């Protein structure tokens, strides 16, 4: 729990340090949503690695989130067939802010046609049908 709180604070500080004075409010808002998603995603992935045999939706109450954390969007986490999917509605600009935050990870993007977009890397990442098209999604294998 303490490690997650420290991570959340560090991500917040990094986001603040990366905001030059000439950036517009909308761009800063995208990064705030990205940071909010990142904290939720990390808590969901911690749960997934601690409960590898779990299947189904991961309840918010089961996640170790900082006490002051509040959802910026309605994020969802679900485990299926040894993978954890964290997803929710986000604009393409917010999704891009998340990808920048995670340094261009191939496991983060938007769900389109059952695949993760942008389709980078040697193999396209499949996305199950419970993730709506256009949603921001991050996937990790935990099996």
């Amino acid at each position: 729990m303490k490690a997650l709180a420290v991570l959340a604070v560090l991500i917040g500080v990094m986001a603040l340090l990366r905001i030059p004075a000439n950036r517009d409010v909308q761009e800063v808002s995208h990064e705030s949503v990205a940071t909010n998603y990142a904290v939720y995603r990390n808590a969901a992935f911690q749960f997934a690695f601690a409960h590898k045999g779990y299947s189904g939706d991961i309840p918010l109450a089961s996640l170790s989130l900082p006490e002051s954390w509040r959802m910026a969007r309605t994020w969802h986490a679900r485990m299926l067939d040894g993978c954890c999917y964290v997803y929710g509605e986000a604009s393409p600009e917010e999704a891009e802010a998340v990808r920048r935050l995670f340094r261009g990870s191939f496991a983060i993007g938007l769900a389109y046609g059952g695949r993760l977009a942008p389709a980078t890397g040697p193999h396209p990442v499949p996305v199950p049908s419970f993730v709506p098209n256009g949603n921001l999604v991050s996937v990790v294998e935990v099996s």
Side-chain angles (χ1 to χ4, degrees), residues 58-73:
I58 301 173
L60 183 61
S62 298
L63 302 179
S64 296
L65 292 161
E67 190 174 313
S68 62
W69 183 87
R70 301 292 178 262
M71 249 189 224
R73 299 279 189 277

